[in-house]
Amino acid sequence: MTTVTPMSDDTATPAAGLKADCLFCRIARGEIPARKVYEDDEILAFHDIHPQAPVHFLMVPKVHVENLYDAGMAQRPMLGKLLGMAGQLAREQGANDGFRVVVNNGRVGRQEVYHLHVHVLGGPEPLGSGMNRL
């Protein structure tokens, strides 16, 4: 199992065991700009740079967890917060009549960035039914 490591407060050097080149770690540390939707001490939500719906943002933990294989019972509060905040943030972004939550996990699940992230998609019209790449 991969070690789950909190982000460092020092933006120049990641915490021990953290991948310095992880895209979402770098966004969470403020090294790469993002259009933020929400941020607190545990999670960050920001708009997807290639949106697949009128509302499309990502929610990531501020600890480096590669995917759900590496998330254990110790991460229950963070995982609960990701899903617990999804509805509120989706509504605030304009998804007032429903939304979709997607977590791509591993190669077969077509995960592209190996830092756990939740896609939240919605808009004024029903989303397509296909399982297109997100």
Side-chain angles (χ1 to χ4, degrees):
M1 179 180 274
T2 300
T3 304
V4 177
T5 310
M7 297 287 177
S8 170
D9 289 335
D10 179 354
T11 59
T13 307
L18 204 61
K19 292 182 180 179
D21 62 347
C22 171
L23 176 64
F24 293 162
C25 288
R26 293 185 68 203
I27 290 171
R29 288 192 303 265
E31 296 172 7
I32 297 175
R35 288 180 41 227
K36 294 179 184 177
V37 170
Y38 175 84
E39 182 173 22
D40 65 22
D41 291 341
E42 298 174 300
I43 67 172
L44 172 65
F46 54 93
H47 291 276
D48 194 292
I49 61 169
H50 300 294
Q52 302 297 308
V55 173
H56 186 176
F57 60 90
L58 305 177
M59 301 176 72
V60 303
K62 286 188 169 181
V63 294
H64 185 82
V65 179
E66 286 200 3
N67 53 41
L68 288 174
Y69 286 128
D70 296 332
M73 296 305 286
Q75 286 79 44
R76 280 188 309 185
M78 175 271 294
L79 294 169
K81 189 172 214 177
L82 286 173
L83 291 178
M85 292 294 300
Q88 173 188 329
L89 298 178
R91 275 200 174 114
E92 289 174 1
Q93 295 301 305
N96 297 310
D97 194 24
F99 63 98
R100 180 177 293 159
V101 173
V102 177
V103 180
N104 299 323
N105 199 77
R107 181 187 63 82
V108 172
R110 301 185 90 160
Q111 183 176 3
E112 292 181 2
V113 177
Y114 279 78
H115 182 121
L116 178 65
H117 57 285
V118 175
H119 292 264
V120 178
L121 301 103
E125 299 298 324
L127 298 170
S129 60
M131 292 300 295
N132 296 330
R133 182 180 208 149
L134 292 180

